[in-house]
Each structure stands twice: as C-alpha cells, then as structure tokens.
Amino acid sequence: VNLALSIAPGLVMPQLLLAGIFIKVEDLPQPFNALSYLMVARYAVQATVVNEFSCSEKTACNATVWRTSSPDQCGDSPCDFCCTSHEMMAAGGICPVLSCNHALTSLGMDDIWPMSETSNEETILFNMIALLILMCLFRLQGLNVLMCSYRRATTGSCLPCRGTAAVGPGPVRPPSAAPSPKAEVPV
C-alpha cells in the first residue's frame, strides 16, 4: 500500500498536466504535446466537455443583441448561457459565452482530436474508443511487467533462458534424437 501511495502522484500529475485541464493541449511545447496523446485523462476530459456542452443552436439567440444585454434580462434570454455582471465586467462589457459552441471555443475544445464532423455523439465515441485502446495497451504492459518480475523471482533472469545451469538441465532428448558420434576421418 505504501508503494502504491508513493507511485500515485508520479502517475496522476502528468495525466492532469498533459490532459488540457490547466493548459490547452495546443499550447504545450512539442514533446509534451506528443506525449498528451498517450494520456488517458486527455480523452476522458474531451469526452466529458463535449458531452456537457452538446446542445443544438437556438435561432432566436442573436449574439449581437444578447452579448451586450443587461444581466437582469437573463430570464428572458433565448440563449443557452447568460453572463452575470461580474463575468461581463471581466470580459470588457460583453458576454463571451452564449451557446454551447461558444463554451467549447472558450475552453479551447472546438478543435480537438478526435473530433467528428457530423455529431457530438461520434466525438464522444471516438474518445471512448481511444480510452479503451489505451487501457488495453497499459494492461498488457502491466502483464508484461508482472511476468518479467515472476521470471526474475523464479529463474533469476527476466528473459526466459533455456539450457543454462541457473534453470537446471535442459530437456531430456529421446535416444533417437541423440547426436551420433562423429566418424573419424583418416588423415
């Protein structure tokens, strides 16, 4: 248990830092941007955000009218989101987020990979498939590490060794498979 607790921060922190929660994945320097594709948390965050902000556009929501409207009129707004007076003051007097697409853009999730061109459900499905593939790869790697530690504990080596003294005598050959003695050739 102590070993697991000491290893956990080393596994969780890179997941959080490279998932796009704190820094957009596009803003990461190149080696970290490439590593983010191997992080399980990246696909989990993307699927969650797309699921949360997936809604249909409302034609009655005119952005030019409602971006500068008073926060007191939120009850009358046909838009998906409405800004408070503090949010409008922080954004310079305009409401930056009125629809689900605006929310995805403000979070930097409007151009994510994998992203479907047709529907949000496909984007969530693509992210779930990526999660399953990564889970299988990490499970297989864990199995490989366990097999290696088992071999090291039983044979003293990680790789399977055949016919060495550490393992014991090699397989017993039947008499028909025994090598024949070399015939001496006169010189």
Side-chain angles (χ1 to χ4, degrees), residues 1-110:
V1 173
N2 289 333
L3 180 63
L5 291 175
S6 64
I7 292 174
L11 296 175
V12 172
M13 288 308 292
Q15 292 279 336
L16 293 177
L17 291 174
L18 299 176
I21 297 174
F22 303 112
I23 303 171
K24 292 181 186 177
V25 176
E26 295 82 20
D27 294 342
L28 292 171
Q30 185 47 44
F32 299 113
N33 190 345
L35 282 174
S36 73
Y37 287 99
L38 297 176
M39 298 297 154
V40 174
R42 174 184 177 156
Y43 302 105
V45 167
Q46 287 178 359
T48 303
V49 167
V50 170
N51 184 37
E52 180 67 27
F53 295 113
S54 61
C55 59
S56 60
E57 289 288 326
K58 296 181 179 172
T59 57
C61 180
N62 186 355
T64 57
V65 173
W66 290 101
R67 279 196 193 280
T68 57
S69 65
S70 172
D72 299 335
Q73 296 176 348
C74 280
D76 300 331
S77 173
C79 301
D80 295 320
F81 299 101
C82 188
C83 293
T84 64
S85 59
H86 292 92
E87 292 169 338
M88 287 184 73
M89 189 181 343
I94 61 167
C95 185
V97 177
L98 292 175
S99 67
C100 292
N101 288 335
H102 293 142
L104 288 173
T105 303
S106 71
L107 292 172
M109 296 282 184
D110 56 335

Side-chain angles (χ1 to χ4, degrees), residues 139-153:
R139 292 286 176 141
L140 288 174
Q141 184 60 29
L143 178 64
N144 189 22
V145 168
L146 285 175
M147 292 298 293
C148 184
S149 65
Y150 172 74
R151 285 186 192 130
R152 185 173 291 136

Side-chain angles (χ1 to χ4, degrees), residues 155-169:
T155 63
S157 172
C158 187
L159 299 175
C161 300
R162 294 190 175 110
T164 62
V167 177

